[in-house]
Amino acid sequence: MPAPITVPLFCAASAAQGLDLPALLRSVVESQRYMLGPRVQAFEEAFAAYVGVHHAIGVANGTDALELALRGLGLGPAQRVLTVANAGFYASTAIRAVGAEPVYAEIDDAVLTLAPAALADALAGQQLHAVVVTHMYGQLADMPAIAAQCKAAGVPLIEDCAQAHGARRDGRQAGAWGDIGCFSFYPTKNLGALGDGGALVTTDDALAVRLRALRQYGWGTKYEVLHEGGRNSRLDELQAAVLEAKLPLLDEANRRRRAIAARYGAAFAGLPLQAPLAQGEDYVAHLYVVRSTQREALRAHLSAQGIASDVHYPLPDHRQPVVADACAGVRLPLTEAACAQVLSLPCFLGMTDSQVEQVISVVADFHERVA
């Protein structure tokens, strides 16, 4: 029987970071502006400046952001989009929604993001029409290599930044490396709203115009549909107000997450676990994910001691039932091994020192028992 949870994976109260969110929401309600008003515009401008791009376009959620990015680039049936298969089927969902074909590439076994060597092989061996690179668990992928390869091949690059708000390398943010960056603001994200929300970011002026149209039916002017593939996908004023208030706190929140991850890393160094390698600014510790060959036993031990955990993600995209027949011949041994071993441990804003020590102690106790 699992014990009552004493260390959760997420704390909504802590995620508020001391902000008076009820007062903020009340101010929006009293303004009587709810959709695509001044709060959305203010957040879009602030977020674009933060990421270091010219444009941010608020949308309803992160999966819509991915789909609209593909539509904005003109992707559709009979076209092939490369992505990884360990990222929860979110990119695959968007690719399939536009009628394109997902092409799966192998991951870097150390950091679990797209392997540049696998991308190079795919670019050399087949025609690709776009690449979606996912910054897994808050770890920026090897963007200098990946962006350079896509540019040389003339293949558009979309960044899935849903888990990597604020991750940067050489001063360049997640979302600023590709043609389009896609963000989710689901409440558990490093920059989280109070419900669903998302954004696209780009420095391409013409592309930004097209994306803004696609999020609202494909309108050029009101009620005049100019662009095929439009939909109703708008970030609302309430969520934008929350996100604008939280944005200035993001870098400090990421530092606190990295501090928890660093404590775990030091404590687990002598254990038979594979833990995240990076502790610099290219890692924002959205999730602290270890790999264990005894994952299910470790997870049961944690649960018995009141510690929450989860698996992000247990089933590779190419082994999902919906595509099992079509992908029967796909072999990605590194991806498949990772999905069989990954385990997410608590790493959240507001996590106390005693909670961190409790997780460390219980993980260590498990390995002492099975040694």
Side-chain angles (χ1 to χ4, degrees):
M1 175 72 70
I5 296 295
T6 56
V7 186
L9 277 174
F10 173 70
C11 175
S14 298
Q17 299 181 77
L19 296 169
D20 188 351
L21 296 182
L24 183 62
L25 297 177
R26 189 161 49 249
S27 72
V28 177
V29 172
E30 291 172 352
S31 77
Q32 300 184 46
R33 291 291 302 274
Y34 305 134
M35 302 300 299
L36 296 184
R39 297 284 193 166
V40 169
Q41 182 178 347
F43 172 68
E44 288 177 340
E45 291 173 355
F47 194 60
Y50 176 80
V51 176
V53 296
H54 293 171
H55 307 280
I57 299 99
V59 295
N61 56 68
T63 309
D64 278 3
L66 287 166
E67 181 181 337
L68 290 172
L70 292 163
R71 293 191 184 279
L73 292 169
L75 274 297
Q79 295 185 306
R80 298 161 60 81
V81 181
L82 181 137
T83 191
V84 292
N86 66 324
F89 210 73
Y90 303 119
S92 293
T93 295
I95 294 166
R96 289 165 57 82
V98 304
E101 176 188 353
V103 176
Y104 297 113
E106 191 61 281
I107 58 173
D108 180 319
D109 196 44
V111 293
L112 307 185
T113 58
L114 174 62
L119 173 60
D121 288 345
L123 288 169
Q126 58 192 300
Q127 183 179 20
L128 298 175
H129 298 92
V131 170
V132 177
V133 58
T134 301
H135 305 307
M136 289 293 295
Y137 311 137
Q139 173 62 59
L140 193 72
D142 187 350
M143 294 311 294
I146 291 168
Q149 289 179 30
C150 288
K151 183 177 181 179
V155 175
L157 175 60
I158 297 169
E159 294 178 70
D160 178 355
C161 309
Q163 300 184 1
H165 311 70
R168 56 176 67 93
R169 183 174 299 169
D170 300 327
R172 195 171 182 180
Q173 292 264 11
W177 294 84
D179 295 273
I180 306 175
C182 301
F183 290 84
S184 166
F185 303 123
Y186 187 77
T188 60
K189 304 303 185 184
N190 290 41
L191 180 62
L194 298 186
D196 272 324
L200 302 114
V201 298
T202 185
T203 294
D204 185 316
D205 295 343
L207 187 53
V209 169
R210 180 173 173 80
L211 293 171
R212 288 188 188 280
L214 288 172
R215 75 170 170 187
Q216 186 159 247
Y217 311 114
W219 285 351
T221 57
K222 192 173 184 179
Y223 305 137
E224 179 190 32
V225 180
L226 292 182
H227 302 278
E228 184 70 39
R231 62 188 307 159
N232 177 2
S233 182
R234 298 171 295 210
L235 181 67
D236 67 63
E237 291 282 290
L238 291 166
Q239 303 302 347
V242 171
L243 294 166
E244 185 189 5
K246 284 186 172 185
L247 181 58
L249 309 176
L250 177 57
D251 285 345
E252 176 57 31
N254 285 341
R255 281 190 284 271
R256 299 205 311 264
R257 288 176 177 271
R258 276 195 297 269
I260 296 169
R263 289 180 62 185
Y264 281 156
F268 299 156
L271 300 179
L273 295 172
Q274 184 175 332
L277 296 178
Q279 299 297 335
E281 287 191 324
D282 63 340
Y283 175 59
V284 293
H286 170 63
L287 296 170
Y288 187 85
V289 176
V290 297
R291 292 178 62 175
S292 172
T293 57
Q294 303 176 86
R295 179 179 71 195
E296 297 309 317
L298 174 56
R299 193 176 185 195
H301 185 73
L302 289 164
S303 179
Q305 301 301 316
I307 297 172
S309 64
D310 206 344
V311 177
H312 299 91
Y313 299 93
L315 198 59
D317 291 16
H318 62 294
R319 294 292 178 257
Q320 292 286 353
V322 71
V323 297
D325 291 341
C327 294
V330 177
R331 296 288 181 269
L332 299 168
L334 298 181
T335 297
E336 292 159 15
C339 288
Q341 297 173 354
V342 291
L343 181 66
S344 299
L345 301 179
C347 182
F348 59 90
L349 290 184
M351 192 174 185
T352 66
D353 289 345
S354 63
Q355 287 176 319
V356 175
E357 289 304 319
Q358 183 180 348
V359 175
I360 290 171
S361 176
V362 171
V363 171
D365 177 67
F366 171 79
H367 287 95
E368 289 177 3
R369 290 169 181 257
V370 300

